[in-house]
């Protein structure tokens, strides 16, 4: 059995350079960030990591530089629906924390509930609705489990993302993200219900990572790439293949935003 890589092994390889910013890249977005001086670690090589079983999630920890700043990137994530564990991303995010990450930008693919947020849009997440009722801190025995989510998404980072969009002439929407557990797509009735509750887009990830990040005192922001209109809102056939295809088409826009954002963070 191959010995698993630990954080001390990673630190020996990357040296003492400071890493303050982390990224999580969602479905079909794994190549959005062009890192220099890059080192890669497969998730199945790292102690405590689960390998994603979903296509479009490469399952690699990438560490490199942009604008001469060290960045740690989780290329791909595991989801609750893959193993029934809401805290499936806790160890990867904890490793980012241990590497020095203080600010984390999460990306995902999502379905839109609003005509003014069409397919191909980018949306900054202002807040979320945990429609699944699941929580990655269930079973945590410390008093720190009572995380205040009044301002879950960092307003300063969100403002920087919007400014990055203006600089790149890319229109970025803002709105509320709703988390369903998946893996099946939502029904039209569910979409109608969550839309009436104030959600703007819907997806199967991100919320657990936000809760874990805030638990670990990491400032967090989220960007949704809209890959389809949600069930019952168009005649299109919703599929994971469509999600990956549209996400890939939006990769260039997302890359421009993140590269511009990293100059500000």
């Amino acid at each position: 059995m191959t010995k698993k890589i630990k954080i001390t092994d990673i630190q020996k390889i990357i040296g003492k350079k400071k890493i303050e910013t982390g990224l999580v890249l969602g479905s079909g977005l794994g190549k959005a960030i062009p890192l220099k001086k890059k080192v890669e670690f497969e998730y199945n090589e790292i102690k405590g990591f689960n390998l994603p079983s979903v296509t479009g999630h490469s399952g690699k920890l990438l560490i490199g530089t942009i604008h001469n700043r060290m960045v740690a990137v989780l290329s791909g994530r595991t989801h609750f629906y893959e193993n029934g564990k809401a805290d499936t991303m806790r160890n990867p995010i904890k490793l980012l924390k241990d590497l020095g990450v203080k600010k984390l930008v999460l990306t995902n693919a999502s379905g839109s509930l609003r005509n003014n947020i069409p397919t191909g849009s980018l949306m900054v997440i202002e807040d979320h609705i945990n429609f699944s009722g699941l929580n990655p801190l269930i079973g945590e025995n410390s008093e720190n489990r009572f995380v205040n989510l009044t301002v879950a998404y960092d307003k300063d980072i969100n403002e920087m993302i919007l400014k990055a969009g203006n600089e790149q002439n890319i229109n970025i929407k803002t709105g509320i993200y709703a988390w369903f557990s998946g893996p099946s797509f939502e029904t039209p009735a569910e979409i109608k219900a969550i839309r009436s509750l104030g959600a703007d887009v819907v997806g199967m990830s991100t919320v657990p990572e936000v809760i874990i990040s805030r638990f670990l005192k990491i400032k967090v922001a989220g960007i949704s790439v809209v890959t389809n209109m949600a069930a019952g809102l168009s005649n299109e056939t919703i599929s994971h293949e469509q999600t990956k295809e549209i996400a890939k088409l939006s990769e260039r826009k997302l890359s421009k935003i993140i590269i511009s954002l990293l100059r500000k963070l």
Side-chain angles (χ1 to χ4, degrees):
M1 186 174 178
T2 305
K3 184 180 178 182
K4 293 282 187 177
I5 295 171
K6 296 183 289 187
I7 183 159
T8 51
D9 301 315
I10 294 172
Q11 288 169 330
K12 285 178 184 176
I13 293 170
I14 66 173
K16 296 182 179 180
K17 293 180 181 178
K18 203 172 185 181
I19 303 175
E20 291 193 353
T21 303
L23 300 167
V24 177
L25 300 179
S27 295
L29 300 170
K31 297 180 180 178
I33 309 303
L35 295 174
K36 296 181 179 179
K37 300 177 183 177
K38 181 173 65 176
V39 292
E40 298 185 7
F41 305 91
E42 301 279 350
Y43 282 5
N44 59 1
E45 297 175 335
I46 306 172
K47 186 176 181 180
F49 277 44
N50 297 306
L51 188 65
S53 62
V54 187
T55 56
H57 291 261
S58 64
K60 293 181 180 180
L61 167 64
L62 312 175
I63 299 175
T65 62
I66 295 179
H67 307 310
N68 294 317
R69 295 182 185 181
M70 291 282 284
V71 180
V73 179
L74 294 175
S75 182
R77 57 159 62 86
T78 47
H79 307 73
F80 166 79
Y81 63 74
E82 294 179 66
N83 53 28
K85 298 176 182 178
D87 66 347
T88 186
M89 286 296 288
R90 180 164 175 166
N91 285 335
I93 295 173
K94 177 63 165 58
L95 184 139
L96 295 184
K97 168 78 172 181
D98 292 342
L99 287 173
V101 169
K102 297 178 181 177
K103 298 174 184 177
L104 181 63
V105 179
L106 308 166
T107 70
N108 62 47
S110 65
S112 174
L113 311 183
R114 310 290 176 187
N115 290 330
N116 64 345
I117 308 178
T119 297
S121 298
L122 300 183
M123 190 196 86
V124 169
I125 302 174
E126 294 180 309
D127 205 345
H128 70 238
I129 298 172
N130 184 351
F131 196 75
S132 73
L134 300 161
N135 195 297
L137 299 181
I138 291 173
E140 168 64 37
N141 291 322
S142 73
E143 293 296 285
N144 294 332
R145 61 188 162 187
F146 302 112
V147 177
N148 183 349
L149 296 178
T150 304
V151 186
Y153 299 82
D154 190 81
K155 291 183 178 181
D156 290 336
I157 301 177
N158 280 356
E159 189 62 33
M160 291 178 197
I161 295 170
L162 295 173
K163 285 181 179 178
N166 288 334
E167 289 174 1
Q168 299 297 325
N169 294 314
I170 296 172
N171 182 30
I172 302 179
K173 309 291 186 178
T174 59
I176 309 300
Y177 177 91
W179 177 41
F180 281 70
S181 70
S184 57
F185 287 100
E186 304 75 31
T187 68
E190 288 169 335
I191 291 303
K192 186 177 180 180
I194 199 66
R195 187 179 184 184
S196 71
L197 292 175
D200 299 297
V201 300
V202 62
M204 304 177 191
S205 67
T206 303
V207 169
E209 293 137 73
V210 170
I211 295 170
I212 291 166
S213 297
R214 297 307 302 129
F215 170 75
L216 295 172
K217 310 299 183 187
I218 299 172
K219 293 180 179 180
V220 66
I223 304 173
S224 273
V225 177
V226 175
T227 57
N228 58 274
M229 297 303 292
L233 300 182
S234 74
N235 294 322
E236 62 187 320
T237 300
I238 302 171
S239 69
H240 185 59
E241 287 304 313
Q242 178 196 33
T243 297
K244 292 188 295 182
E245 183 179 338
I246 301 300
K248 187 165 286 294
L249 292 174
S250 301
E251 222 174 30
R252 189 175 178 184
K253 283 197 298 184
L254 181 64
S255 179
K256 287 182 178 180
I257 295 300
I258 291 178
I259 290 170
S260 182
L261 171 64
L262 289 173
R263 291 193 187 100
K264 308 175 192 305
L265 288 175

